């Protein structure tokens, strides 16, 4: 009888540990797509609890081309600049404060020489 009670208490304690485990951060969000003239884009969002890491990449662009890049978070621009496609690729990595609720991101890049446009969106 004592063994059954001990086993029941042990099972109850094990189950209660799972019910109080902290929730994990939201999973990463990755979106991919095509640009207007053959290049490809990738937008990745990683939530670390208080900040969101944003990684925007463009692949298979003509090497050496300069691109104008703009990143928006909930409508506000948080990065605007130029990147050069070294070996046909470039990326922009930034962190922003995590707002309450769903955060919406829009990434846009325009090739200055060909006017090719890459545009991606993602929510986290």
């Amino acid at each position: 009888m004592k063994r059954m009670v001990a086993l029941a208490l042990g099972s109850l304690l094990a189950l209660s540990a799972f019910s109080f485990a902290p929730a994990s951060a939201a999973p990463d969000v990755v979106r991919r797509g095509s640009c207007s003239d053959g290049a490809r884009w990738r937008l990745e969002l990683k939530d670390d609890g208080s900040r969101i890491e944003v990684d925007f990449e463009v692949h298979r662009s003509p090497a050496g081309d300069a691109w104008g890049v703009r990143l928006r978070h909930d409508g506000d621009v948080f990065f605007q600049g130029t990147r050069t496609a070294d070996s046909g690729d470039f990326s922009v990595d930034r962190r922003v404060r995590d707002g309450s609720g769903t955060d919406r991101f829009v990434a846009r890049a325009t090739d200055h020489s060909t006017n090719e446009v890459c545009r991606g969106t993602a929510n986290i």
Side-chain angles (χ1 to χ4, degrees), residues 24-41:
S24 62
D28 297 350
V29 174
V30 179
R31 299 287 181 265
R32 293 177 173 86
S34 298
C35 302
S36 64
D37 195 26
R40 308 271 308 153
W41 60 267

Side-chain angles (χ1 to χ4, degrees), residues 57-74:
E57 304 171 355
V58 173
H59 302 281
R60 292 192 294 269
S61 160
D65 277 9
W67 290 73
V69 181
R70 183 179 301 154
L71 303 177
R72 293 180 181 270
H73 174 223
D74 291 335

Side-chain angles (χ1 to χ4, degrees), residues 26-32 41 43-47 52-54 72-75 98-107 119-124:
D28 297 350
V29 174
V30 179
R31 299 287 181 265
R32 293 177 173 86
W41 60 267
L43 178 59
E44 181 175 7
L45 308 175
K46 295 179 184 178
D47 186 351
I52 298 171
E53 181 181 344
V54 180
R72 293 180 181 270
H73 174 223
D74 291 335
D98 187 2
S100 61
T102 300
D103 293 271
R104 178 173 171 75
F105 291 86
V106 178
R119 184 178 183 278
T121 63
N123 296 327
I124 190 168

Side-chain angles (χ1 to χ4, degrees), residues 8 19 27 39 42 53 57 59 64 67-68 71 74 78 86 89 91 94 104-105 107-108 111 115:
S19 65
R42 179 178 185 271
E53 181 181 344
E57 304 171 355
H59 302 281
W67 290 73
L71 303 177
D74 291 335
F78 68 94
D86 297 325
D89 298 336
S91 66
R94 291 288 183 267
R104 178 173 171 75
F105 291 86
R108 180 182 168 95
D111 186 322
N115 291 323

